[in-house]
Amino acid sequence: MTNVDDNGGLRVESASSTLGGGLAASARQEQFSLAFIRMVAAAAGCSIKSHATDYDGVDITIVASAEYERYYCPEFEMQLKCTTQHHLLKTSHLA
C-alpha cells in the first residue's frame, strides 16, 4: 500500500500491517476457498453459479457447458470448507 507523507513524499507500508483490514479470519478463509475453486473450475473450462445464501449447505454450483456422451451440461453443488489447522493436512489427503 502506498501513501503520501506530510512532506509530499511516498511512503510504502508493508502488506502485513494492512493485512487484517477488518475482515474476520473466517471470512478470509471463506474467500480463499471460493477463489481456489473458481481457479480450478476455470482451468477445467467450467463456470460457477453463486448462491446468495448457503442455508441449504450449498456455496456454489459448478457447471460444465459441454455435451458429454451420457450427460448434457452436468453440474454439481459444493459446500466449501477451509481450515488453518495444519495437523489435518496429511501427505495424501486432508483429514
Coordinates of all heavy atoms in Angstrom, one line a residue:
M1 N 0.9 -1.2 0.0 CA 0.0 0.0 0.0 C 0.9 1.2 0.0 O 1.9 1.3 0.7 CB -0.9 0.0 1.2 CG -1.8 1.2 1.4 SD -2.8 1.0 2.8 CE -4.4 1.3 2.0
T2 N 0.6 2.2 -0.8 CA 1.4 3.5 -0.8 C 0.5 4.6 -0.4 O -0.6 4.8 -0.8 CB 1.8 3.7 -2.3 OG1 2.5 2.5 -2.8 CG2 2.7 4.9 -2.4
N3 N 1.1 5.5 0.5 CA 0.5 6.7 0.9 C 1.5 7.9 0.7 O 2.6 7.7 0.5 CB 0.2 6.6 2.4 CG -0.9 5.6 2.7 OD1 -1.8 5.5 2.0 ND2 -0.7 4.9 3.8
V4 N 0.9 9.1 0.8 CA 1.7 10.3 0.7 C 2.0 10.8 2.1 O 1.0 11.0 2.9 CB 1.0 11.3 -0.2 CG1 1.9 12.6 -0.3 CG2 0.8 10.8 -1.6
D5 N 3.3 11.0 2.4 CA 3.5 11.6 3.8 C 3.3 13.1 3.8 O 3.0 13.7 2.8 CB 4.9 11.2 4.2 CG 6.1 11.8 3.4 OD1 5.8 12.8 2.7 OD2 7.2 11.3 3.5
D6 N 3.6 13.7 5.0 CA 3.3 15.1 5.2 C 4.2 16.0 4.3 O 3.8 17.1 4.0 CB 3.5 15.5 6.7 CG 2.5 14.8 7.6 OD1 1.4 14.5 7.1 OD2 2.8 14.6 8.7
N7 N 5.3 15.5 3.8 CA 6.2 16.3 3.0 C 6.0 16.1 1.5 O 6.8 16.5 0.7 CB 7.7 16.0 3.4 CG 8.0 16.3 4.8 OD1 7.5 17.3 5.3 ND2 8.8 15.5 5.5
G8 N 4.9 15.3 1.1 CA 4.6 15.1 -0.3 C 5.4 13.9 -0.8 O 5.2 13.6 -2.0
G9 N 6.2 13.2 0.0 CA 6.9 12.0 -0.5 C 6.0 10.8 -0.4 O 5.0 10.8 0.4
L10 N 6.4 9.7 -1.1 CA 5.6 8.5 -1.0 C 6.1 7.7 0.2 O 7.3 7.6 0.4 CB 5.8 7.7 -2.3 CG 5.1 8.3 -3.5 CD1 5.4 7.4 -4.7 CD2 3.7 8.5 -3.3
R11 N 5.2 7.1 0.9 CA 5.5 6.2 2.0 C 4.9 4.9 1.7 O 3.7 4.8 1.4 CB 4.9 6.8 3.3 CG 5.2 6.0 4.5 CD 4.6 6.6 5.8 NE 3.2 6.7 5.6 CZ 2.5 7.8 5.9 NH1 3.0 8.9 6.4 NH2 1.1 7.8 5.8
V12 N 5.6 3.8 1.7 CA 5.1 2.5 1.4 C 5.0 1.7 2.7 O 5.9 1.6 3.5 CB 6.1 1.7 0.5 CG1 5.6 0.3 0.2 CG2 6.3 2.5 -0.8
E13 N 3.8 1.2 2.9 CA 3.5 0.3 4.1 C 3.6 -1.1 3.7 O 3.3 -1.5 2.6 CB 2.1 0.6 4.7 CG 1.9 2.1 5.1 CD 0.5 2.3 5.6 OE1 -0.2 1.3 5.7 OE2 0.2 3.5 5.8
S14 N 4.0 -1.9 4.6 CA 4.1 -3.4 4.3 C 2.7 -3.9 4.3 O 1.8 -3.5 4.9 CB 4.9 -4.1 5.4 OG 4.2 -4.1 6.6
A15 N 2.6 -5.0 3.5 CA 1.3 -5.7 3.4 C 0.8 -6.3 4.7 O -0.4 -6.3 5.0 CB 1.3 -6.8 2.3
S16 N 1.8 -6.7 5.5 CA 1.4 -7.3 6.8 C 0.7 -6.3 7.7 O -0.1 -6.7 8.5 CB 2.6 -7.9 7.5 OG 3.6 -6.9 7.8
S17 N 1.1 -5.0 7.6 CA 0.4 -4.1 8.5 C -1.0 -3.8 8.1 O -1.8 -3.3 8.9 CB 1.2 -2.8 8.6 OG 1.2 -2.1 7.3
T18 N -1.4 -4.0 6.9 CA -2.7 -3.8 6.4 C -3.5 -5.0 6.1 O -4.6 -5.0 5.7 CB -2.7 -2.9 5.2 OG1 -1.9 -3.6 4.2 CG2 -2.1 -1.6 5.4
L19 N -2.9 -6.2 6.4 CA -3.5 -7.5 6.0 C -4.8 -7.7 6.7 O -5.8 -8.1 6.2 CB -2.6 -8.6 6.4 CG -3.0 -10.0 6.0 CD1 -3.3 -10.1 4.5 CD2 -2.1 -11.1 6.4
G20 N -4.9 -7.3 8.0 CA -6.1 -7.5 8.8 C -7.3 -6.9 8.1 O -8.3 -7.5 7.8
G21 N -7.2 -5.6 7.8 CA -8.3 -4.9 7.0 C -9.7 -5.0 7.6 O -10.6 -4.6 7.0
G22 N -9.8 -5.6 8.8 CA -11.1 -5.7 9.5 C -11.9 -6.9 9.1 O -12.9 -7.2 9.6
L23 N -11.4 -7.6 8.1 CA -12.1 -8.9 7.7 C -11.8 -10.0 8.6 O -10.6 -10.3 8.8 CB -11.7 -9.2 6.2 CG -12.6 -10.2 5.5 CD1 -14.0 -9.8 5.4 CD2 -12.0 -10.5 4.1
A24 N -12.8 -10.6 9.2 CA -12.5 -11.7 10.1 C -11.8 -12.9 9.5 O -11.9 -13.1 8.3 CB -13.9 -12.2 10.7
A25 N -11.0 -13.6 10.3 CA -10.2 -14.7 9.7 C -11.1 -15.7 9.0 O -10.8 -16.2 8.0 CB -9.4 -15.4 10.9
S26 N -12.3 -16.0 9.6 CA -13.2 -17.0 9.0 C -13.7 -16.5 7.6 O -13.8 -17.3 6.7 CB -14.4 -17.3 9.9 OG -15.1 -16.2 10.2
A27 N -13.9 -15.2 7.5 CA -14.3 -14.6 6.2 C -13.2 -14.7 5.2 O -13.4 -15.0 4.0 CB -14.8 -13.2 6.4
R28 N -12.0 -14.5 5.6 CA -10.8 -14.6 4.7 C -10.7 -16.0 4.2 O -10.4 -16.3 3.1 CB -9.5 -14.2 5.5 CG -9.4 -12.7 5.6 CD -8.1 -12.4 6.2 NE -8.3 -11.8 7.5 CZ -7.5 -11.6 8.4 NH1 -6.2 -12.1 8.3 NH2 -7.8 -11.1 9.6
Q29 N -10.9 -17.0 5.1 CA -10.8 -18.4 4.8 C -11.9 -18.7 3.7 O -11.6 -19.4 2.8 CB -11.0 -19.3 6.0 CG -9.7 -19.3 6.9 CD -10.0 -20.0 8.2 OE1 -10.6 -19.5 9.1 NE2 -9.6 -21.3 8.2
E30 N -13.1 -18.2 3.9 CA -14.2 -18.5 3.0 C -13.9 -17.9 1.6 O -14.1 -18.6 0.6 CB -15.5 -17.9 3.5 CG -16.7 -18.1 2.6 CD -17.9 -17.5 3.2 OE1 -17.9 -16.9 4.3 OE2 -19.0 -17.6 2.5
Q31 N -13.3 -16.7 1.6 CA -13.0 -16.1 0.3 C -11.8 -16.8 -0.4 O -11.8 -16.9 -1.6 CB -12.6 -14.6 0.5 CG -13.8 -13.7 0.9 CD -14.9 -13.8 0.0 OE1 -14.7 -13.7 -1.2 NE2 -16.1 -14.0 0.5
F32 N -10.9 -17.3 0.4 CA -9.8 -18.1 -0.2 C -10.4 -19.4 -0.8 O -10.0 -19.8 -1.9 CB -8.8 -18.5 0.9 CG -7.7 -19.4 0.4 CD1 -6.6 -18.9 -0.3 CD2 -7.8 -20.8 0.5 CE1 -5.6 -19.7 -0.8 CE2 -6.8 -21.6 0.0 CZ -5.7 -21.0 -0.7
S33 N -11.3 -20.1 -0.1 CA -11.9 -21.3 -0.6 C -12.6 -21.0 -2.0 O -12.5 -21.8 -2.9 CB -12.9 -21.9 0.4 OG -12.3 -22.3 1.5
L34 N -13.4 -19.9 -2.0 CA -14.1 -19.6 -3.2 C -13.2 -19.3 -4.4 O -13.4 -19.7 -5.5 CB -15.1 -18.4 -2.9 CG -16.3 -18.7 -2.0 CD1 -16.9 -17.4 -1.6 CD2 -17.3 -19.5 -2.8
A35 N -12.1 -18.5 -4.1 CA -11.2 -18.2 -5.1 C -10.5 -19.4 -5.7 O -10.3 -19.5 -6.9 CB -10.2 -17.2 -4.6
F36 N -10.1 -20.3 -4.8 CA -9.4 -21.5 -5.2 C -10.3 -22.4 -6.1 O -9.9 -22.8 -7.2 CB -8.9 -22.3 -4.0 CG -8.2 -23.6 -4.3 CD1 -6.8 -23.5 -4.6 CD2 -8.8 -24.8 -4.4 CE1 -6.1 -24.6 -5.0 CE2 -8.0 -25.9 -4.7 CZ -6.7 -25.8 -5.0
I37 N -11.5 -22.6 -5.7 CA -12.5 -23.4 -6.5 C -12.7 -22.7 -7.8 O -12.8 -23.4 -8.9 CB -13.8 -23.7 -5.8 CG1 -13.5 -24.6 -4.6 CG2 -14.8 -24.3 -6.7 CD1 -12.9 -25.9 -4.9
R38 N -12.9 -21.4 -7.9 CA -13.0 -20.7 -9.1 C -11.9 -20.9 -10.0 O -12.0 -21.1 -11.2 CB -13.3 -19.2 -8.9 CG -14.6 -18.9 -8.3 CD -14.8 -17.4 -8.1 NE -16.1 -17.1 -7.6 CZ -17.2 -17.0 -8.3 NH1 -17.2 -17.2 -9.6 NH2 -18.4 -16.8 -7.7
M39 N -10.6 -20.9 -9.5 CA -9.4 -21.1 -10.3 C -9.4 -22.5 -10.9 O -9.2 -22.7 -12.1 CB -8.2 -20.9 -9.4 CG -6.9 -21.2 -10.2 SD -5.5 -21.2 -9.1 CE -5.8 -22.6 -8.1
V40 N -9.8 -23.5 -10.1 CA -9.8 -24.9 -10.6 C -10.9 -25.1 -11.6 O -10.7 -25.7 -12.7 CB -9.9 -25.9 -9.4 CG1 -10.2 -27.3 -9.9 CG2 -8.7 -25.8 -8.5
A41 N -12.0 -24.5 -11.4 CA -13.2 -24.7 -12.3 C -12.8 -24.0 -13.6 O -13.1 -24.5 -14.7 CB -14.4 -24.1 -11.7
A42 N -12.2 -22.8 -13.6 CA -11.8 -22.1 -14.8 C -10.8 -22.9 -15.6 O -10.9 -23.0 -16.8 CB -11.3 -20.7 -14.5
A43 N -9.9 -23.5 -14.9 CA -8.9 -24.3 -15.6 C -9.5 -25.5 -16.3 O -9.0 -26.0 -17.3 CB -7.8 -24.7 -14.6
A44 N -10.6 -26.0 -15.7 CA -11.3 -27.2 -16.3 C -12.3 -26.8 -17.3 O -13.0 -27.6 -17.9 CB -12.0 -27.9 -15.1
G45 N -12.4 -25.5 -17.6 CA -13.4 -25.0 -18.6 C -14.8 -24.9 -18.1 O -15.8 -24.9 -18.9
C46 N -15.0 -24.9 -16.8 CA -16.4 -24.9 -16.2 C -16.7 -23.5 -15.7 O -15.8 -22.6 -15.6 CB -16.4 -25.8 -15.0 SG -16.2 -27.6 -15.5
S47 N -17.9 -23.2 -15.5 CA -18.4 -22.0 -14.9 C -19.0 -22.2 -13.5 O -19.3 -23.3 -13.1 CB -19.3 -21.2 -15.8 OG -20.3 -22.1 -16.3
I48 N -19.2 -21.1 -12.8 CA -19.7 -21.1 -11.4 C -21.0 -20.4 -11.3 O -21.1 -19.3 -11.8 CB -18.6 -20.5 -10.5 CG1 -17.3 -21.1 -10.6 CG2 -19.2 -20.4 -9.1 CD1 -17.2 -22.4 -9.8
K49 N -21.9 -21.0 -10.6 CA -23.2 -20.3 -10.2 C -23.0 -20.0 -8.7 O -22.8 -20.9 -7.9 CB -24.4 -21.2 -10.4 CG -24.8 -21.5 -11.8 CD -26.0 -22.4 -11.9 CE -26.4 -22.8 -13.3 NZ -27.6 -23.6 -13.3
S50 N -23.1 -18.8 -8.4 CA -23.0 -18.4 -7.0 C -24.4 -18.4 -6.3 O -25.4 -18.2 -7.0 CB -22.4 -17.0 -6.9 OG -21.1 -17.0 -7.4
H51 N -24.4 -18.6 -5.1 CA -25.7 -18.6 -4.3 C -25.6 -17.4 -3.3 O -24.6 -17.3 -2.6 CB -25.9 -19.9 -3.6 CG -26.0 -21.0 -4.6 ND1 -27.1 -21.4 -5.2 CD2 -25.0 -21.9 -5.1 CE1 -26.9 -22.4 -6.0 NE2 -25.6 -22.7 -6.0
A52 N -26.7 -16.7 -3.1 CA -26.7 -15.6 -2.1 C -26.6 -16.1 -0.7 O -26.0 -15.4 0.1 CB -27.9 -14.8 -2.3
T53 N -27.1 -17.2 -0.4 CA -27.0 -17.8 0.9 C -26.6 -19.3 0.8 O -26.7 -19.9 -0.3 CB -28.4 -17.8 1.7 OG1 -29.3 -18.5 0.9 CG2 -28.9 -16.3 1.8
D54 N -26.1 -19.8 1.9 CA -25.8 -21.2 1.9 C -26.5 -22.0 2.9 O -26.1 -22.9 3.5 CB -24.3 -21.4 2.0 CG -23.7 -21.0 3.4 OD1 -24.5 -20.4 4.1 OD2 -22.6 -21.3 3.7
Y55 N -27.8 -21.6 3.2 CA -28.6 -22.2 4.2 C -28.9 -23.7 3.8 O -29.1 -24.5 4.7 CB -29.9 -21.5 4.4 CG -29.7 -20.1 5.0 CD1 -30.1 -19.0 4.3 CD2 -29.1 -20.0 6.3 CE1 -29.9 -17.7 4.9 CE2 -28.9 -18.7 6.8 CZ -29.3 -17.6 6.1 OH -29.1 -16.4 6.7
D56 N -28.9 -24.0 2.6 CA -29.1 -25.4 2.1 C -27.9 -26.2 2.1 O -27.8 -27.3 1.5 CB -29.8 -25.4 0.8 CG -31.2 -24.8 0.8 OD1 -31.9 -25.0 1.9 OD2 -31.7 -24.2 -0.1
G57 N -26.8 -25.6 2.6 CA -25.5 -26.3 2.5 C -24.8 -26.2 1.2 O -23.9 -27.0 0.9
V58 N -25.2 -25.3 0.3 CA -24.6 -25.1 -1.0 C -24.0 -23.7 -1.1 O -24.7 -22.7 -0.9 CB -25.6 -25.3 -2.1 CG1 -25.0 -25.1 -3.5 CG2 -26.2 -26.7 -2.0
D59 N -22.7 -23.7 -1.3 CA -22.0 -22.4 -1.5 C -21.9 -22.0 -3.0 O -22.2 -20.9 -3.3 CB -20.6 -22.5 -1.0 CG -20.5 -22.6 0.5 OD1 -21.3 -21.8 1.2 OD2 -19.8 -23.4 1.1
I60 N -21.6 -23.0 -3.8 CA -21.5 -22.7 -5.3 C -22.0 -23.9 -6.1 O -22.0 -25.0 -5.5 CB -20.1 -22.3 -5.7 CG1 -19.1 -23.4 -5.4 CG2 -19.6 -21.0 -5.1 CD1 -17.7 -23.2 -5.9
T61 N -22.3 -23.7 -7.3 CA -22.6 -24.8 -8.2 C -21.6 -24.7 -9.4 O -21.5 -23.7 -10.0 CB -24.1 -24.7 -8.7 OG1 -24.9 -24.7 -7.6 CG2 -24.4 -25.9 -9.7
I62 N -21.0 -25.8 -9.7 CA -20.0 -25.9 -10.8 C -20.7 -26.5 -12.0 O -21.4 -27.5 -11.9 CB -18.8 -26.7 -10.5 CG1 -18.0 -26.0 -9.3 CG2 -17.9 -26.8 -11.7 CD1 -16.8 -26.8 -8.8
V63 N -20.6 -25.8 -13.1 CA -21.4 -26.2 -14.3 C -20.5 -26.3 -15.5 O -19.6 -25.5 -15.8 CB -22.4 -25.1 -14.7 CG1 -23.3 -25.5 -15.9 CG2 -23.3 -24.8 -13.5
A64 N -20.7 -27.4 -16.2 CA -20.0 -27.6 -17.5 C -21.0 -27.4 -18.6 O -22.1 -28.0 -18.6 CB -19.4 -29.1 -17.6
S65 N -20.6 -26.6 -19.6 CA -21.5 -26.3 -20.7 C -21.3 -27.3 -21.8 O -22.0 -27.2 -22.8 CB -21.2 -24.9 -21.2 OG -21.5 -24.0 -20.2
A66 N -20.4 -28.2 -21.7 CA -20.2 -29.2 -22.8 C -21.2 -30.3 -22.8 O -21.9 -30.6 -21.8 CB -18.8 -29.8 -22.6
E67 N -21.3 -30.9 -23.9 CA -22.2 -32.1 -24.1 C -21.4 -33.3 -24.0 O -20.5 -33.5 -24.8 CB -23.0 -32.0 -25.4 CG -24.1 -33.0 -25.5 CD -24.9 -32.9 -26.8 OE1 -25.0 -31.8 -27.3 OE2 -25.5 -33.9 -27.2
Y68 N -21.6 -34.2 -23.1 CA -20.9 -35.4 -22.9 C -21.7 -36.6 -23.5 O -22.9 -36.4 -23.8 CB -20.5 -35.6 -21.5 CG -19.6 -34.5 -20.9 CD1 -20.1 -33.4 -20.3 CD2 -18.2 -34.6 -21.1 CE1 -19.3 -32.4 -19.8 CE2 -17.4 -33.6 -20.6 CZ -18.0 -32.5 -20.0 OH -17.1 -31.5 -19.5
E69 N -21.0 -37.7 -23.6 CA -21.7 -38.9 -24.1 C -22.9 -39.3 -23.4 O -24.0 -39.6 -23.9 CB -20.7 -40.1 -24.1 CG -21.2 -41.3 -24.8 CD -20.2 -42.4 -24.9 OE1 -19.0 -42.1 -25.1 OE2 -20.6 -43.6 -24.7
R70 N -22.9 -39.2 -22.1 CA -24.0 -39.6 -21.2 C -24.7 -38.4 -20.6 O -25.8 -38.6 -20.1 CB -23.5 -40.5 -20.1 CG -23.0 -41.8 -20.7 CD -22.6 -42.7 -19.6 NE -23.8 -43.1 -18.8 CZ -23.7 -43.8 -17.7 NH1 -22.6 -44.3 -17.2 NH2 -24.8 -44.1 -17.0
Y71 N -24.1 -37.2 -20.6 CA -24.7 -36.1 -19.9 C -24.7 -34.9 -20.7 O -23.8 -34.6 -21.5 CB -24.0 -35.8 -18.6 CG -23.9 -37.0 -17.6 CD1 -22.8 -37.8 -17.5 CD2 -25.0 -37.4 -16.9 CE1 -22.7 -38.9 -16.7 CE2 -25.0 -38.5 -16.0 CZ -23.8 -39.2 -16.0 OH -23.7 -40.3 -15.1
Y72 N -25.8 -34.0 -20.5 CA -25.8 -32.7 -21.2 C -25.7 -31.7 -20.1 O -26.5 -31.6 -19.2 CB -27.1 -32.6 -22.0 CG -27.3 -31.2 -22.6 CD1 -26.5 -30.9 -23.7 CD2 -28.1 -30.3 -22.1 CE1 -26.6 -29.7 -24.3 CE2 -28.3 -29.0 -22.7 CZ -27.5 -28.7 -23.8 OH -27.6 -27.5 -24.4
C73 N -24.7 -30.9 -20.2 CA -24.4 -29.7 -19.3 C -24.5 -30.2 -17.8 O -25.4 -29.7 -17.0 CB -25.4 -28.6 -19.5 SG -25.2 -27.9 -21.1
P74 N -23.6 -31.1 -17.4 CA -23.7 -31.5 -16.0 C -23.3 -30.4 -15.0 O -22.6 -29.5 -15.4 CB -22.6 -32.7 -15.9 CG -21.7 -32.3 -17.0 CD -22.5 -31.7 -18.1
E75 N -23.8 -30.5 -13.8 CA -23.5 -29.6 -12.8 C -23.5 -30.3 -11.4 O -24.2 -31.3 -11.3 CB -24.4 -28.4 -12.8 CG -25.9 -28.7 -12.5 CD -26.7 -27.4 -12.6 OE1 -26.7 -26.7 -13.6 OE2 -27.4 -27.1 -11.6
F76 N -22.8 -29.7 -10.5 CA -22.8 -30.3 -9.1 C -22.6 -29.1 -8.1 O -22.0 -28.1 -8.4 CB -21.8 -31.4 -8.9 CG -20.4 -31.0 -9.0 CD1 -19.7 -30.7 -7.8 CD2 -19.7 -31.0 -10.2 CE1 -18.3 -30.3 -7.9 CE2 -18.4 -30.7 -10.3 CZ -17.7 -30.3 -9.2
E77 N -23.2 -29.3 -7.0 CA -23.2 -28.3 -5.9 C -22.1 -28.6 -4.9 O -21.8 -29.8 -4.7 CB -24.6 -28.3 -5.2 CG -25.7 -27.9 -6.2 CD -27.1 -28.0 -5.5 OE1 -27.3 -28.9 -4.6 OE2 -27.9 -27.2 -5.9
M78 N -21.6 -27.6 -4.3 CA -20.5 -27.8 -3.4 C -20.7 -26.9 -2.2 O -21.2 -25.8 -2.3 CB -19.1 -27.3 -4.0 CG -18.6 -28.2 -5.0 SD -16.9 -27.7 -5.5 CE -16.0 -28.3 -4.1
Q79 N -20.3 -27.4 -1.0 CA -20.1 -26.6 0.2 C -18.7 -26.6 0.5 O -18.0 -27.6 0.5 CB -20.9 -27.1 1.3 CG -20.7 -26.2 2.6 CD -21.7 -26.4 3.6 OE1 -22.2 -27.5 3.9 NE2 -22.1 -25.3 4.2
L80 N -18.1 -25.4 0.7 CA -16.7 -25.3 0.8 C -16.3 -25.2 2.3 O -17.1 -24.6 3.1 CB -16.2 -24.0 0.1 CG -16.6 -23.9 -1.3 CD1 -16.2 -22.6 -1.9 CD2 -15.9 -25.0 -2.1
K81 N -15.1 -25.7 2.6 CA -14.6 -25.6 4.0 C -13.1 -25.2 3.8 O -12.5 -25.5 2.9 CB -14.7 -26.9 4.7 CG -16.1 -27.5 4.9 CD -16.8 -26.6 5.8 CE -18.2 -27.1 6.0 NZ -19.1 -26.1 6.6
C82 N -12.6 -24.5 4.8 CA -11.2 -24.0 4.8 C -10.8 -24.0 6.3 O -11.5 -23.6 7.2 CB -11.1 -22.6 4.2 SG -9.4 -22.1 4.1
T83 N -9.6 -24.5 6.5 CA -9.0 -24.6 7.9 C -7.6 -24.1 7.9 O -6.9 -24.2 6.9 CB -9.2 -26.0 8.5 OG1 -8.8 -25.9 9.8 CG2 -8.3 -27.0 7.7
T84 N -7.2 -23.6 9.0 CA -5.8 -23.3 9.2 C -5.1 -24.3 10.2 O -4.0 -24.1 10.7 CB -5.6 -21.9 9.8 OG1 -6.4 -21.8 11.0 CG2 -6.0 -20.8 8.8
Q85 N -5.8 -25.4 10.5 CA -5.3 -26.4 11.4 C -4.4 -27.4 10.6 O -4.9 -28.3 9.9 CB -6.5 -27.2 12.0 CG -7.4 -26.3 12.8 CD -8.5 -27.1 13.4 OE1 -8.4 -28.2 13.8 NE2 -9.7 -26.5 13.4
H86 N -3.1 -27.1 10.6 CA -2.1 -27.8 9.8 C -2.1 -29.3 10.2 O -1.7 -30.1 9.3 CB -0.8 -27.2 10.0 CG -0.7 -25.8 9.5 ND1 -0.6 -25.5 8.1 CD2 -0.8 -24.6 10.1 CE1 -0.7 -24.2 8.0 NE2 -0.7 -23.6 9.2
H87 N -2.4 -29.7 11.4 CA -2.4 -31.1 11.7 C -3.4 -32.0 10.9 O -3.2 -33.2 10.9 CB -2.6 -31.3 13.2 CG -3.9 -31.1 13.7 ND1 -4.4 -29.8 14.0 CD2 -5.0 -31.9 13.9 CE1 -5.7 -29.9 14.3 NE2 -6.1 -31.1 14.3
L88 N -4.3 -31.3 10.3 CA -5.3 -32.1 9.5 C -4.8 -32.4 8.1 O -5.4 -33.2 7.4 CB -6.6 -31.2 9.3 CG -7.3 -31.0 10.7 CD1 -8.5 -30.1 10.4 CD2 -7.8 -32.3 11.3
L89 N -3.7 -31.7 7.7 CA -3.1 -31.9 6.3 C -2.2 -33.1 6.4 O -1.2 -33.1 7.0 CB -2.4 -30.7 5.9 CG -1.8 -30.7 4.5 CD1 -2.9 -30.9 3.4 CD2 -1.1 -29.4 4.2
K90 N -2.6 -34.2 5.7 CA -1.8 -35.4 5.6 C -1.0 -35.4 4.3 O -1.3 -34.6 3.4 CB -2.7 -36.6 5.8 CG -3.6 -36.6 7.0 CD -2.8 -36.6 8.3 CE -3.8 -36.6 9.5 NZ -3.1 -36.3 10.7
T91 N -0.2 -36.4 4.1 CA 0.6 -36.5 2.9 C -0.3 -36.7 1.7 O 0.0 -36.0 0.6 CB 1.6 -37.7 3.0 OG1 2.4 -37.5 4.2 CG2 2.5 -37.8 1.8
S92 N -1.3 -37.5 1.8 CA -2.1 -37.8 0.6 C -3.5 -37.2 0.6 O -4.3 -37.4 -0.3 CB -2.2 -39.3 0.4 OG -2.8 -39.9 1.5
H93 N -3.9 -36.6 1.8 CA -5.3 -36.1 1.9 C -5.4 -35.1 3.0 O -4.5 -34.9 3.8 CB -6.3 -37.2 2.1 CG -6.1 -37.9 3.4 ND1 -5.0 -38.8 3.7 CD2 -6.8 -37.8 4.6 CE1 -5.1 -39.2 4.9 NE2 -6.2 -38.6 5.5
L94 N -6.6 -34.4 3.1 CA -6.9 -33.5 4.2 C -7.9 -34.3 5.0 O -9.0 -34.7 4.5 CB -7.5 -32.2 3.6 CG -8.0 -31.2 4.7 CD1 -6.8 -30.7 5.5 CD2 -8.7 -30.1 4.0
A95 N -7.6 -34.5 6.3 CA -8.5 -35.2 7.2 C -9.7 -34.4 7.6 O -9.5 -33.2 7.9 CB -7.7 -35.7 8.4

